[in-house]
Amino acid sequence: GGIITQTPKFLIGQEGQKLTLKCQQNFNHDTMYWYRQDSGKGLRLIYYSITENDLQKGDLSEGYDASREKKSSFSLTVTSAQKNEMAVFLCASSMDNTGQLYFGEGSKLTVL
Amino acid sequence: SQWGEENLQALSIQEGEDVTMNCSYKTYTTVVQWYRQKSGKGPALIILIRSNEREKRSGRLRATLDTSSQSSSLSITGTLATDTAVYFCATDSNTGYQNFYFGKGTSLTVIP
C-alpha cells in the first residue's frame, strides 16, 4: 500500500499572505489533484496534474497556483489568502483510468 | 456545474438499521464512485459502479445505478456505529476521466 502525506495539517495565515501546502505520495501514481472542501459542500477541484511538470486548472483555480516538481509531489499555493477561503484542502492521486482517488488527510487553512 | 450532486443531508439512525443515500447527476458519466469520509480523515473509496452495471455489492454495501434517470444510490445494511461518516458520490466529467465531480455529501450518524 501507499500513503499520501499532506503538510502542514493546520495552516494559519494572515489575510493577503501567500501560503503553500505540500503533498507527497508514494503510490507512484501519475495523476495528482488538489480539492477544496468547504463545510457543508462537496469537494471542488482546484488543480490537477497528469504527470511531472503538467498542470491543469479545475473549476476553482483562480487565486491559486500549483507546482508538480516531481512525480511524487504536488504543491498548492494560495496567492493571497482571504478569510472566505478558510477550508480543508485535500490532495489526492490516481493511477489509471479506473479513476479511484486516494486522498490525504487534508490541510486545514485558517485566515486571520 | 453540478455533476454528481446529492443534496446535503444529515441522517441519524440506530445501529442495526438499514439506510439508503441517493445521488443524482446531470450529465453522462462512465462511473459513479462512492466515498466515505470519517472525521478528520480524507475520503476513501468504498464502492464503484460503472455505467454498464445496474448493481454492485460489497459486503454490507450495495450501490445501484440508473443511467436513464441519472441517479445512483448507496445502501448500507445492518449499520454499525463505525459507519458514522460523510458519504459522497462522485461522477466523472465528459472532459476526461481525470476530472471528477463530487456531491455535497450525506452526513450519517449511527447511534450505538
Side-chain angles (χ1 to χ4, degrees), chain A residues 3-83:
Chain A
I3 191 169
I4 294 189
T5 303
Q6 292 187 232
T7 55
K9 194 169 177 68
F10 300 96
L11 181 58
I12 300 173
Q14 299 290 329
E15 199 164 22
Q17 192 175 359
K18 184 176 177 180
L19 301 166
T20 297
L21 304 171
K22 294 187 181 294
C23 177
Q24 295 272 344
Q25 55 102 355
N26 64 359
F27 288 100
N28 199 34
H29 286 167
D30 288 320
T31 308
M32 296 185 74
Y33 310 78
W34 276 107
Y35 285 90
R36 174 174 155 172
Q37 183 174 29
D38 292 272
S39 178
K41 296 186 180 179
L43 281 64
R44 291 183 287 174
L45 183 66
I46 306 172
Y47 269 99
Y48 69 101
S49 166
I50 61 175
T51 189
E52 186 178 331
N53 294 318
D54 173 74
L55 289 176
Q56 306 287 336
K57 292 184 177 181
D59 293 335
L60 211 61
S61 61
E62 188 168 338
Y64 301 94
D65 287 329
S67 176
R68 184 86 182 270
E69 308 90 356
K70 48 186 179 179
K71 187 175 183 178
S72 62
S73 68
F74 193 30
S75 60
L76 180 73
T77 297
V78 181
T79 56
S80 177
Q82 303 299 316
K83 288 190 177 181

Side-chain angles (χ1 to χ4, degrees), chain B residues 49-95:
Chain B
I49 183 166
R50 299 190 184 283
S51 58
N52 61 352
E53 299 174 307
R54 290 295 173 261
E55 179 182 287
K56 189 82 166 284
R57 290 179 185 265
S58 176
R60 295 182 294 110
L61 306 176
R62 174 178 173 258
T64 66
L65 179 58
D66 183 343
T67 53
S68 62
S69 64
Q70 296 183 318
S71 63
S72 176
S73 70
L74 173 71
S75 298
I76 307 175
T77 56
T79 54
L80 304 170
T82 52
D83 293 326
T84 294
V86 178
Y87 293 80
F88 296 98
C89 71
T91 56
D92 57 36
S93 74
N94 60 8
T95 61

Side-chain angles (χ1 to χ4, degrees), chain B residues 91-112:
Chain B
T91 56
D92 57 36
S93 74
N94 60 8
T95 61
Y97 68 87
Q98 289 158 335
N99 198 356
F100 301 95
Y101 290 93
F102 284 78
K104 294 177 184 172
T106 297
S107 176
L108 176 67
T109 301
V110 182
I111 302 165

